[in-house]
Amino acid sequence: LLAGAVTGARHYWPFLAASPRDEWTALRVHEAGRTIAASVGKGRVLTLGPIFPLEGGATIYPALVTGAFEWRTARIASPEEHSRRRLLGPSDLAALDADPTLAAVLAGVERDPAENLEAPIAAYVARRGWVPTRILDELTLWHPPGD
């Protein structure tokens, strides 16, 4: 086993030596997750990129564990199907105002301008005056004012 690990490691060494640790995607995701978790405590994060908060140990909305897939489905599901499956989509954002567990919104994950999946989320936080904090270069964590 040890011989196999040593033999295999020599093939990866050029890659590891060529890229600084702070550029490794897994480490960047983990650090972003830790930052998010520290910021939200026991509250939930609304996001289409669940890997980030989950990696740090934060809680997300179970309906969005698949990220944007559920978000897309909720938009096309019948009202009966939407209710039965407890989908979470753009039309459900206003109902989150009554959810005391919503601590933050993480945006910047879905960046395809043709789909513009995060536009309803951006409008939601803007209407409520939420405060942005940059996480990594491309992500923004939004908190309610006063938090």
Side-chain angles (χ1 to χ4, degrees), residues 16-118:
L16 296 174
S19 63
R21 280 181 56 99
D22 62 344
E23 291 180 12
W24 294 359
T25 300
L27 291 178
R28 294 185 73 217
V29 169
H30 182 71
E31 284 305 311
R34 289 173 48 123
T35 300
I36 293 164
S39 177
V40 301
K42 294 184 187 267
R44 286 198 227 191
V45 179
L46 173 71
T47 183
L48 300 184
I51 186 64
F52 294 99
L54 290 176
E55 180 65 22
T59 304
I60 63 164
Y61 284 88
L64 295 178
V65 72
T66 60
F69 298 109
E70 178 103 11
W71 193 254
R72 286 182 182 99
T73 304
R75 297 191 303 180
I76 61 172
S78 70
E80 296 79 24
E81 186 75 7
H82 189 98
S83 177
R84 185 170 63 81
R85 294 192 180 264
R86 297 185 189 139
L87 300 177
L88 180 58
S91 64
D92 303 305
L93 287 173
L96 294 179
D97 287 343
D99 182 358
T101 68
L102 177 58
V105 171
L106 180 67
V109 178
E110 293 290 329
R111 295 185 298 269
D112 182 349
E115 288 189 295
N116 207 12
L117 289 177
E118 290 186 345

